[in-house]
């Protein structure tokens, strides 16, 4: 086929990309968050737009400097709508709304697994000499698994990302394999993360798995190179 990332091979396709990291309020001034910069998702959106797709980027707490390649859209270029969100509930609503018209949904966002069960209206104060009240957490819905289970549009392709560290139980790829089988997505993009890798960095190394956990592609390089490899894998899966 055509060389990676060449041409307008996504022309006429509607794609949704979620990116960044969701934040769950603890009180009016504090939140539980994560270290995702949104760079990989922004690169996915930019690459899809360059290949001719209509793109909706659901952007969870992405710094404006990271969004710069997309906003403002230069004349005649990236056909990208950015929908800013904060919490996981907001991200879920925005993704579901956009997914109704999408050929492909890519969940690149780092979604908070848990949120505080209740959020007080007033700031939590410290009391001299007293331990703080524990914060009770409840689980957030799994947006990716839900999208994979109930396709919003016939033939819609659903893609997940998995940032793994590996641990005593299994390595990065084995964790990825198990996750691919569990989530029901068509593709899962697995990358190793740690202090020096993945989060906030400008380059990346990923393995793309299918829903059975089989390797369909590997890519290494800038986040743009990885993004184009993901769209290549999407087109390969669909054609
Ligand atoms: N994801 C999601 N909704 C959640 C959690 C995760 O849609 N509540 C999506 C992420 O956007 C990503 C994929 O699921 O595309 C994998 O996220 P990850 O955090 O690696 O998976 P989890 O199932 O939460 O497993 P873990 O215990 O490793 O965090
Ligand atoms: Ca998680």
């Amino acid at each position: 086929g055509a060389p990676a990332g060449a041409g307008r091979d996504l022309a006429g396709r509607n794609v949704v990309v979620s990116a960044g990291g969701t934040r769950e309020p603890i009180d009016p001034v504090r939140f539980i968050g994560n270290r995702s910069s949104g760079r990989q998702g922004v690169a996915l959106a930019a690459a899809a737009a360059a290949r001719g797709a209509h793109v909706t980027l659901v952007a969870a707490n992405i710094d404006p400097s990271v969004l710069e390649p997309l906003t403002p859209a230069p004349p005649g270029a990236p056909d990208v709508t950015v929908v800013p969100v904060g919490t996981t509930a907001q991200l879920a609503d925005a993704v579901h709304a956009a997914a109704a018209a999408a050929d492909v949904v890519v969940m690149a966002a780092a979604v908070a697994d848990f949120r505080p069960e209740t959020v007080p209206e007033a700031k939590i104060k410290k009391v001299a000499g007293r331990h703080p009240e524990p914060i009770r957490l409840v689980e957030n819905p799994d947006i990716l698994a839900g999208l994979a289970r109930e396709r919003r549009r016939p033939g819609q392709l659903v893609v997940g990302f998995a940032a793994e560290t590996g641990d005593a139980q299994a390595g990065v790829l084995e964790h990825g394999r198990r996750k691919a089988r569990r989530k029901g997505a068509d593709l899962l993009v697995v990358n190793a993360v740690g202090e020096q890798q993945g989060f906030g960095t400008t380059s990346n190394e990923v393995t793309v798995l299918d829903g059975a956990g089989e390797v369909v592609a590997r890519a290494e390089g800038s986040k743009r190179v990885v993004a184009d490899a993901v769209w290549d894998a999407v087109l390969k899966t669909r054609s």
Side-chain angles (χ1 to χ4, degrees):
R8 294 178 66 83
D9 51 6
L10 290 171
R13 310 275 186 123
N14 281 313
V15 308
V16 177
V17 177
S18 74
T22 61
R23 293 177 180 175
E24 304 297 345
I26 293 170
D27 71 11
V29 296
R30 306 183 177 98
F31 59 83
I32 298 171
N34 63 69
R35 290 156 55 95
S36 177
S37 68
R39 282 194 177 84
Q40 184 63 71
V42 169
L44 282 158
R51 291 165 75 155
H54 301 278
V55 183
T56 302
L57 178 70
V58 179
N61 306 295
I62 300 180
D63 191 272
S65 67
V66 174
L67 286 172
E68 237 161 56
L70 299 172
T71 50
D79 179 12
V80 180
T81 304
V82 179
V83 183
V85 297
T87 64
T88 299
Q90 289 166 356
L91 183 126
D93 285 349
V95 167
H96 288 152
D103 301 298
V104 186
V105 182
V106 181
M107 286 294 298
V111 180
D113 291 329
F114 307 101
R115 67 179 186 279
E117 186 173 40
T118 56
V119 182
E121 271 169 43
K123 184 185 167 190
I124 298 168
K125 302 294 286 180
K126 62 185 174 190
V127 179
R130 214 197 285 163
H131 282 292
E133 285 296 317
I135 297 168
R136 188 187 291 273
L137 301 176
V138 293
E139 198 170 344
N140 276 325
D142 191 320
I143 303 163
L144 178 68
L147 289 166
R149 209 167 39 236
E150 281 177 59
R151 305 289 163 137
R152 310 283 147 153
R153 203 182 184 195
Q156 182 175 82
L157 202 98
V158 175
V159 183
F161 267 72
E164 300 288 350
T165 58
D167 55 25
Q169 269 72 52
V172 167
L173 200 60
E174 185 51 30
H175 274 297
R177 255 185 245 289
R178 292 177 195 173
K179 195 167 283 179
R181 296 183 190 124
R182 194 168 69 232
K183 293 278 187 176
D186 301 293
L187 296 172
L188 187 74
V189 184
V190 181
N191 72 312
V193 290
E195 283 298 308
Q196 312 297 327
Q197 274 177 297
F199 285 108
T201 61
T202 49
S203 107
N204 230 341
E205 188 183 343
V206 302
T207 303
V208 184
L209 306 178
D210 66 16
E214 299 299 323
V215 176
V216 298
R218 289 182 198 276
E220 185 182 352
S222 68
K223 293 200 172 182
R224 181 56 177 260
V225 165
V226 167
D228 275 315
V230 171
W231 294 120
D232 289 344
V234 163
L235 285 167
K236 203 171 129 193
T237 304
R238 256 305 156 261
S239 57

